[in-house]
Amino acid sequence: MRERADNMIAHERQGMPPLLDFDYELLLDARNFERPANYALLRITRVGEDCWDDCVDAAKPPVIVIDPRAGHGPGIGGFKRDSEVGMAMHEGHPVYFVIFFPEPVPGQTLADVHYALRDFVTEVARRHPDTAPVLYGNCQAGWAATLLAADCEGLTGPIVLIGSPLSYWSGEAASSPMRMMGALTGGAWAAHMISDLGDGRFDGAWLAQNFETLQPEKAIWDKYATLFAHADTERERFLEFERWWNGYYTLSREEILAITQNLFIGNKLEQGGMQLDDHCTIDLRRIENPMIIFASEGDNITPPEQAMGWIAKLYPDTDALKAAGQRIVYMTHGHVGHLGIFVSGSVARLQHRAILESLDEVEALAPGLYEMVIDTPAGDPDCETGDFTVRFVPREVHDLRIASEDAALAQVAQVSRINEAAYSAFVSPWLRAATSPASAEALRALHPMRWTRTLFSERVNPWMALVRSTAETLRETRDPLPEDHLAIVTERALSARTGEVLGAWRKGRDAWIGHVFGAMFGPFPVIPAPAQADHPDAASQKE
């Protein structure tokens, strides 16, 4: 934890560069565009000892990986070798990576970001005129990629959406505790207030904190208990991930309000009413690109219902989908969590590799809805041998069996609009007048997601120098107890019990939130899981 704090401070002082495990060159910096945005386009030039010319097959379509801007910095799609970037390079695709900088351009809007991304895709298409680029969008970047495919000119080839929410009103209550909590706190005004207190910037540490409170038994107990129990082997993995996890980026006030009002609360993207700017309204029905959707039953940030619920809203039946000439392929994982769907090495070696190797087959499919099924040898579920086959099972739109409580969430949206109007008129002007860059920076430093980390740094806490010197001595003389020692067994049992207690508390909290929400706005429906090939009655495994 001392090293984590020192790494966090050092990373911030370096300007928080992207944490990619690959060499790259900067091609375009959108901060210099006519409509500036804090985004940039990179070209991956080297993987280990292999350079671009050694890895790339010029006949294959270029892959553009867009990382999510949802509180953390770029790099989650390529911060280790077995990753989306690594698999794409392994398959011979030219790979480009979209990054963003820690601070937004003042007044930056979603439209500014959209047009910057469109220019990036245009540049990649210019460099590879014979093949359309493949857009790989993770989480938030998935809906950003969808906006590109659905915008006024439509610029991209196949779209791969990884854990990307497009249908914000879909899903059962158990999978959406934070959505209900947002409703109970009154909607978008809270994000507006945090932005005002941040001098026009929304601190990404708040989003990271929301993520950790979803499952506190894992984020604030199991993570550290595992590190403590396996101190000799977990150190490097812990520090590698935490270096990315504790790098908090900001959004502009205009961006966070547009996201909350149009997407998470307003659900305007699914409804076809999202006004990007004066010249373009986003309508998902305009998408003609083949789409591959990868979601997980274990994802409590973007459950499959939110990743795929929009399909039935746009296309009432499969015939309508076919008549539109659209090809949509979906694939679900049984248990991996939200971050695992991007960073898990086993997922990268199997699911991401399978997607990349199947792009030609997807484009050759007749219009319709398909489930992508990966068959692996018996006893090798993670496909360590690399031997697998892919098949596409035709599905019907009604097979998805996804519903949403539109009436209840429409009430939430109306309450949010009223609260936001009142806050904007009577409170926001006073807070903006009282806020200064110094006060905003002080609030950032005092955020719990920062000071609970930096407290362990020698730069902040001189007593940690004693910890450092003691640790160096103990590493040389440490003699671990055997795994079956009574003290170790007791310690592990107590740790597991503590995690179970926190998990039980979290389930009680979520149930209470659900009951209060139901009393105020009406209950959520109970929704069966999407159909899976050979397992049509597969139940949710989120827990």
Side-chain angles (χ1 to χ4, degrees):
M1 293 170 72
R2 176 187 61 81
E3 292 180 81
R4 176 181 69 173
D6 288 340
N7 290 346
M8 179 179 176
I9 294 174
H11 188 49
E12 289 180 348
R13 290 182 174 179
Q14 293 167 3
M16 292 194 285
L19 299 175
L20 292 171
D21 191 30
F22 307 90
D23 293 343
Y24 56 85
E25 65 172 330
L26 177 66
L27 297 182
L28 295 175
D29 188 338
R31 294 176 297 183
N32 302 319
F33 286 5
E34 183 178 349
R35 294 184 65 162
N38 67 331
Y39 278 70
L41 176 66
L42 310 179
R43 182 173 73 100
I44 304 300
T45 59
R46 183 182 295 273
V47 180
E49 298 301 320
D50 298 325
C51 65
W52 175 279
D53 295 333
D54 299 323
C55 298
V56 169
D57 181 351
K60 291 193 174 183
V63 172
I64 306 174
V65 178
I66 310 176
D67 250 12
R69 185 159 162 252
H72 298 93
I76 195 68
F79 83 108
K80 58 184 180 181
R81 225 33 84 76
D82 287 337
S83 61
E84 295 165 352
V85 171
M87 287 300 106
M89 292 292 283
H90 179 270
E91 295 297 318
H93 293 272
V95 178
Y96 298 83
F97 197 87
V98 174
I99 68 166
F100 41 89
F101 299 99
E103 297 294 337
V105 175
Q108 178 174 302
T109 66
L110 287 185
D112 297 330
V113 172
H114 176 80
Y115 289 118
L117 294 177
R118 202 164 79 173
D119 287 345
F120 292 167
V121 175
T122 301
E123 172 63 17
V124 173
R126 184 189 67 79
R127 289 170 172 262
H128 304 271
D130 298 328
T131 56
V134 178
L135 250 63
Y136 227 92
N138 295 323
C139 188
Q140 172 271 338
W143 58 254
T146 305
L147 295 184
L148 285 174
D151 80 350
C152 301
E153 298 180 19
L155 295 169
T156 64
I159 307 295
V160 183
L161 306 179
I162 312 297
S164 302
L166 297 180
S167 189
Y168 303 92
W169 288 5
S170 295
E172 54 186 310
S175 68
S176 310
M178 287 298 104
R179 179 174 58 182
M180 290 186 291
M181 179 61 77
L184 298 183
T185 55
W189 74 271
H192 194 167
M193 181 184 70
I194 292 172
S195 301
D196 288 342
L197 292 172
D199 198 30
R201 300 173 299 167
F202 184 89
D203 187 359
W206 291 101
L207 300 176
Q209 185 180 58
N210 282 343
F211 187 95
E212 292 201 345
T213 57
L214 275 174
Q215 288 187 303
E217 69 274 22
K218 293 184 178 181
I220 68 175
W221 182 258
D222 289 351
K223 178 169 70 173
Y224 299 103
T226 300
L227 177 64
F228 181 75
H230 306 283
D232 299 293
T233 57
E234 282 292 299
R235 173 179 172 274
E236 293 302 326
R237 188 195 64 82
F238 176 83
L239 290 175
E240 178 187 44
F241 178 78
E242 291 293 296
R243 191 161 178 255
W244 172 79
W245 180 253
N246 294 288
Y248 307 121
Y249 283 47
T250 61
L251 293 91
S252 71
R253 176 168 41 221
E254 291 79 5
E255 287 177 299
I256 192 64
L257 286 178
I259 291 170
T260 54
Q261 293 172 353
N262 289 302
L263 300 177
F264 291 104
I265 296 175
N267 199 35
K268 294 181 181 179
L269 179 60
E270 180 186 83
Q271 297 169 353
M274 183 173 175
Q275 188 78 26
L276 189 63
D277 61 14
D278 294 338
H279 308 290
C280 188
T281 299
I282 299 298
D283 185 351
L284 297 181
R285 292 179 181 84
R286 283 202 294 263
I287 298 178
E288 299 179 354
N289 318 74
M291 302 187 73
I292 302 174
I293 302 170
F294 181 26
S296 174
E297 296 290 344
D299 187 346
N300 58 358
I301 298 293
T302 307
E305 297 90 348
Q306 291 189 22
M308 297 186 289
W310 61 276
I311 299 173
K313 291 295 181 68
L314 266 62
Y315 308 104
D317 52 41
T318 310
D319 289 337
L321 178 62
K322 293 179 179 179
Q326 181 55 281
R327 289 149 291 171
I328 298 178
V329 175
Y330 72 87
M331 175 172 56
T332 57
H333 195 286
H335 58 81
V336 71
H338 185 68
L339 292 178
I341 205 171
F342 313 128
V343 304
S344 169
S346 62
V347 171
R349 290 188 297 271
L350 181 57
Q351 280 83 4
H352 291 307
R353 181 180 173 190
I355 289 172
L356 290 165
E357 292 184 357
S358 304
L359 290 174
D360 289 340
E361 295 176 64
V362 171
E363 293 198 73
L365 290 172
L369 178 68
Y370 301 86
E371 181 181 3
M372 181 176 177
V373 180
I374 304 175
D375 296 317
T376 60
D380 187 18
D382 294 331
C383 199
E384 297 292 340
T385 63
D387 183 19
F388 61 84
T389 58
V390 175
R391 53 194 172 95
F392 298 94
V393 182
R395 292 294 184 192
E396 299 294 323
V397 168
H398 65 75
D399 286 340
L400 296 176
R401 292 180 291 176
I402 296 173
S404 60
E405 189 60 45
D406 289 1
L409 290 167
Q411 293 181 56
V412 172
Q414 179 64 12
V415 170
S416 176
R417 284 191 291 270
I418 294 172
N419 289 341
E420 167 62 17
Y423 173 82
S424 297
F426 301 112
V427 181
S428 179
W430 294 98
L431 280 186
R432 293 192 194 192
T435 299
S436 67
S439 68
E441 193 58 37
L443 285 176
R444 282 164 59 92
L446 292 173
H447 193 284
M449 292 295 291
R450 286 191 176 85
W451 71 258
T452 56
R453 273 68 169 170
T454 56
L455 180 65
F456 291 93
S457 171
E458 289 182 60
R459 296 181 175 89
V460 177
N461 184 354
W463 286 101
M464 294 307 296
L466 179 61
V467 173
R468 175 175 52 81
S469 62
T470 305
E472 291 171 354
T473 302
L474 288 178
R475 283 194 187 99
E476 299 174 359
T477 59
R478 173 170 149 73
D479 184 17
L481 292 175
E483 290 292 312
D484 59 352
H485 192 281
L486 179 61
I488 295 294
V489 173
T490 304
E491 174 188 277
R492 303 283 166 82
L494 178 60
S495 176
R497 179 58 181 161
T498 303
E500 292 172 2
V501 170
L502 285 172
W505 173 85
R506 185 259 306 168
K507 292 177 183 178
R509 176 203 66 184
D510 294 348
W512 178 84
I513 292 173
H515 286 307
V516 174
F517 182 94
M520 294 179 63
F521 301 105
F524 270 93
V526 177
I527 306 162
Q532 295 178 331
D534 303 328
H535 300 283
D537 297 320
S540 171
Q541 300 185 40
K542 291 182 180 61
E543 290 303 335

